[in-house]
Amino acid sequence: MKSQEAQDISERAMMFLVQRPPDLQGFLTVSGLDAHELLNKADDKAILLAALGFLAADEQLAKAFCEEEGLKPGAIAAACAILDPHGQTSW
């Protein structure tokens, strides 16, 4: 997987959450963001990575995302590894 594909997956992860209000609220709660901040920073790479990490932390949510997006099960982990190779991004 290349960096651009990983970035694309992170953007798709955010859109997936936006379409699922209860899950989006869970992400906002965990990240400490409010909806206004999210709208203003929707293209922030750290926030997109956090959305991807949020999906990765919930097996059922990750599975639903991968199925909806036609991704292989390991795609989320691979994208996270490319976007944050040293695991240094945290909330």
Side-chain angles (χ1 to χ4, degrees):
M1 176 181 299
K2 295 184 180 184
S3 180
Q4 184 56 49
E5 184 180 0
Q7 183 69 28
D8 181 56
I9 290 172
S10 71
E11 291 168 2
R12 290 160 58 188
M14 180 61 73
M15 292 308 301
F16 177 79
L17 290 173
V18 167
Q19 295 170 7
R20 299 169 64 113
D23 295 319
L24 178 60
Q25 185 57 52
F27 172 68
L28 292 173
T29 300
V30 168
S31 69
L33 295 169
D34 63 35
H36 182 67
E37 288 174 306
L38 183 61
L39 284 173
N40 289 331
K41 298 179 181 183
D43 61 346
D44 183 309
K45 291 180 181 185
I47 292 173
L48 294 173
L49 181 58
L52 204 54
F54 180 78
L55 290 179
D58 183 320
E59 186 176 346
Q60 290 180 354
L61 197 56
K63 182 179 178 185
F65 172 68
C66 288
E67 287 175 356
E68 185 171 307
E69 295 294 324
L71 298 170
K72 293 181 180 179
I76 294 174
C80 285
I82 288 171
L83 296 173
D84 188 21
H86 304 292
Q88 295 176 340
T89 303
S90 64
W91 284 87

